[in-house]
Amino acid sequence: SPTFIFHGKADPLVPFSQAELLESLLKAQSVPYETAFLDGIGHEVKLDDKACTEAIGRGIAFLKKHL
């Protein structure tokens, strides 16, 4: 299934390496995917952060394209 990966690089709960691993596995299997890797963002989404809101917009566009 097409996959959108939204991950904060400063996430203390889920290591960023897990997002990188998922990306490499999707790429190896030729699965359509996009990423939003956000510097300085932890496990929470900050709606007042421009990078987060832009990434959410990209995620919505991705869903519209693939659903």
Side-chain angles (χ1 to χ4, degrees):
S1 296
T3 304
F4 188 84
I5 306 169
F6 184 98
H7 199 103
K9 289 185 176 180
D11 189 334
L13 300 176
V14 180
F16 182 65
S17 60
Q18 293 295 302
E20 293 174 309
L21 176 60
L22 176 57
E23 180 183 27
S24 68
L25 294 170
L26 293 169
K27 188 182 292 186
Q29 295 297 315
S30 300
V31 174
Y33 74 93
E34 289 185 32
T35 63
F37 296 149
L38 303 171
D39 291 323
I41 300 297
H43 197 73
E44 73 287 346
V45 173
K46 296 180 180 181
L47 296 177
D48 62 342
D49 184 284
K50 184 178 178 183
C52 278
T53 56
E54 288 176 0
I56 291 168
R58 288 179 39 219
I60 291 169
F62 181 85
L63 290 172
K64 286 181 179 180
K65 177 180 176 181
H66 292 284
L67 291 179

